[in-house]
Amino acid sequence: MNREDYLSQMKALEDIIIDARSQQDTLRQQYIDANKKFDVNERIRIITPGFRRVTPDEQGRTRIPEDVRYAYVEGYTIDSQGKITYLLAKETTTHRKAVAKTSYTEFDILEKIDPEALPVL
């Protein structure tokens, strides 16, 4: 095998890889569009349900209260099991999207909030 044969075969392989990655991106975007619950820049409520603490403290087992946070959807990713996860930005005290990011767990409940439901400041 000479240099020209090697370069031509490498170019063919690179073209196949580029085509496969573009198909993968298209498939990923179609999957997200078909299965997403929230749109980008949509305001959502993150509810962390109350639970009992597993490790006992000096008072015995205590109950952790329910927690509610607000955030804005910035984007989407797909995890290894094919589940859509949302990239979230925190909400400021003036109900605008903050630069800081926030996260959620699989136990949290995500709910959509009506845009008209914003309180008047």
Side-chain angles (χ1 to χ4, degrees), residues 1 8 10 14 28 38 52 58 61 65 68 75 87 105 117:
M1 174 182 288
S8 67
M10 285 300 291
E14 287 174 0
R28 183 178 292 127
F38 311 108
R52 292 186 70 94
E58 52 273 356
R61 293 187 179 210
V68 177
L87 304 174
T105 66

Side-chain angles (χ1 to χ4, degrees), residues 45-49 51 69 79 83-86 88 102-110:
R45 177 184 299 128
I46 305 168
I47 301 171
T48 304
F51 60 94
R69 297 176 287 147
D79 65 5
K83 184 178 176 185
I84 296 175
T85 56
Y86 299 97
L88 303 176
T102 188
S103 60
Y104 63 96
T105 66
E106 62 184 68
F107 303 112
D108 292 338
I109 301 165
L110 303 179

Side-chain angles (χ1 to χ4, degrees), residues 14 21 25 27 29 39-41 48-49 57-58 61 66 75 83 85 87 89-90 92 95 99 113-115:
E14 287 174 0
R21 285 190 178 147
D25 291 340
L27 181 66
Q29 191 60 41
D39 293 326
V40 173
N41 292 327
T48 304
D57 56 5
E58 52 273 356
R61 293 187 179 210
E66 180 177 276
K83 184 178 176 185
T85 56
L87 304 174
K90 286 184 179 181
T92 63
H95 306 291
V99 176
I113 298 176
D114 286 336

Side-chain angles (χ1 to χ4, degrees), residues 10-110:
M10 285 300 291
K11 176 72 172 132
L13 285 174
E14 287 174 0
D15 291 340
I16 292 170
I17 291 170
I18 289 171
D19 184 45
R21 285 190 178 147
S22 68
Q23 289 177 4
Q24 185 181 28
D25 291 340
T26 304
L27 181 66
R28 183 178 292 127
Q29 191 60 41
Q30 288 174 351
Y31 178 71
I32 287 173
D33 290 340
N35 296 302
K36 66 183 178 183
K37 295 179 186 175
F38 311 108
D39 293 326
V40 173
N41 292 327
E42 193 166 30
R43 185 174 181 239
I44 62 170
R45 177 184 299 128
I46 305 168
I47 301 171
T48 304
F51 60 94
R52 292 186 70 94
R53 184 181 302 190
V54 176
T55 56
D57 56 5
E58 52 273 356
Q59 290 90 24
R61 293 187 179 210
T62 58
R63 178 128 179 103
I64 306 297
E66 180 177 276
D67 182 36
V68 177
R69 297 176 287 147
Y70 296 93
Y72 285 88
V73 177
E74 282 198 325
Y76 315 98
T77 59
I78 300 174
D79 65 5
S80 59
Q81 282 84 32
K83 184 178 176 185
I84 296 175
T85 56
Y86 299 97
L87 304 174
L88 303 176
K90 286 184 179 181
E91 183 181 75
T92 63
T93 55
T94 58
H95 306 291
R96 291 192 171 92
K97 183 170 35 169
V99 176
K101 307 299 182 243
T102 188
S103 60
Y104 63 96
T105 66
E106 62 184 68
F107 303 112
D108 292 338
I109 301 165
L110 303 179

